[in-house]
């Protein structure tokens, strides 16, 4: 096996911990799982200084008994539906159910979700809790329901112009565990070939909050792949801030070209 391929395999295994003594700050550029307040402050400084990608994983953000009743309530009471998207002019049904909350509609994959402006009271409570934990405010929410292991979301970045530059995305998971995968954007000379890029896999458990910050949407794509063994339902709530589409932009325009599929 060539050195390059071997390195890619090793990097593609599991999420890395923040190195204990990473002498050169500019090499700290992937994923940090925060343990202490001081690590958090260090990462904020590093991210601001070097415009880096940053993930924060808060497992147990919701205690299991609370997460249990919240999951049942949202499953039963949100207006779930299946969205039709378009790829190269062909319509396809998303392999998951969704609903969208906020003041503005949200366009991706050439179709638009109308905004539910009346937030479910539980979603308002969760938004407040997520805002307090993240220190960010959010005006919109995309809710995903994966009915079983066959539901999924393909490789994409949340980089529509309407999300602004360097968006913070706060992703709260309820229900069965699914693996959230990330892959780094290849350098331009690799012409979109992801064979050797760095990869990270994070199992998102019931009640976990994942924060994606800094340049994460510029430099990485993410997905939740199909699984072929039994998986129960899972709800994922991604809080975002949406801005009116910039002047002259078609709704759903990406800042860099990647497609949310299927
Ligand atoms: O379900 C997840 O964890 C990811 C959802 C996602 O990538 C999205 O809504 O853009």
């Amino acid at each position: 096996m060539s050195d390059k391929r071997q390195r890619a395999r090793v990097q593609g295994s599991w999420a890395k911990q923040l190195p204990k003594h990473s002498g050169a700050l500019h090499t700290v550029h992937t994923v940090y799982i925060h343990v202490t307040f001081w690590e958090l402050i260090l990462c904020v400084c590093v991210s601001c200084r070097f415009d880096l990608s940053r993930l924060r994983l808060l497992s147990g953000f919701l205690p299991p008994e609370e997460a249990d009743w919240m999951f049942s309530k949202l499953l039963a009471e949100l207006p779930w539906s299946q969205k039709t998207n378009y790829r190269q002019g062909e319509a396809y049904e998303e392999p998951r159910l969704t609903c969208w909350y906020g003041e503005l509609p949200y366009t991706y994959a050439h179709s638009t979700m109308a905004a539910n402006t009346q937030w479910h009271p539980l979603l308002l409570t969760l938004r407040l809790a997520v805002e307090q934990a993240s220190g960010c405010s959010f005006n919109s929410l995309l809710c995903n329901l994966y009915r079983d292991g066959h539901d999924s979301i393909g490789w994409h970045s949340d980089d529509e112009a309407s999300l602004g530059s360097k968006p913070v995305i706060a992703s709260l998971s309820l229900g069965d565990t699914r693996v959230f995968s990330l892959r780094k954007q290849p350098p331009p000379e690799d012409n979109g070939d992801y064979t050797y890029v760095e990869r990270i896999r994070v199992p998102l458990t019931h009640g976990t909050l994942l924060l994606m910050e800094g340049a994460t949407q510029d430099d990485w794509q993410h997905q939740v792949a199909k699984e072929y063994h039994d998986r129960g339902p899972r709800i994922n709530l991604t809080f975002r801030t949406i801005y009116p589409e910039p002047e002259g932009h078609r709704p759903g325009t990406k800042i860099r070209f990647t497609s949310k599929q299927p």
Side-chain angles (χ1 to χ4, degrees), residues 142 144 146 153 156 158 180 222 224 234 236 240 260:
L142 178 59
N144 289 299
Y146 303 83
I153 187 165
H156 68 281
D158 296 327
F180 184 79
H222 54 268
V224 175
R234 166 178 182 261
N236 175 255
R240 301 131 187 260
K260 189 172 271 192

Side-chain angles (χ1 to χ4, degrees), residues 169-185:
I169 310 276
S171 158
L172 181 60
S173 293
L174 296 163
D176 207 349
T177 301
R178 293 291 293 266
V179 175
F180 184 79
S181 308
L182 295 110
R183 66 179 183 185
K184 193 127 197 244
Q185 295 282 6

Side-chain angles (χ1 to χ4, degrees), residues 190-248:
D190 283 5
N191 296 318
D193 178 359
Y194 287 85
T195 310
Y196 300 117
V197 298
E198 192 168 351
R199 288 167 190 264
I200 294 162
R201 287 158 49 88
V202 187
L204 293 181
T205 54
H206 193 39
T208 290
L209 179 64
L210 173 70
L211 301 171
M212 294 188 264
E213 297 170 298
T216 307
Q217 305 304 327
D218 294 334
D219 294 348
W220 297 80
Q221 289 187 327
H222 54 268
Q223 74 162 358
V224 175
K226 292 188 192 308
E227 293 187 22
Y228 292 94
H229 45 271
D230 268 357
R231 281 288 170 212
R234 166 178 182 261
I235 291 175
N236 175 255
L237 307 175
T238 54
F239 294 89
R240 301 131 187 260
T241 292
I242 284 272
Y243 303 94
E245 295 285 346
E247 193 86 4

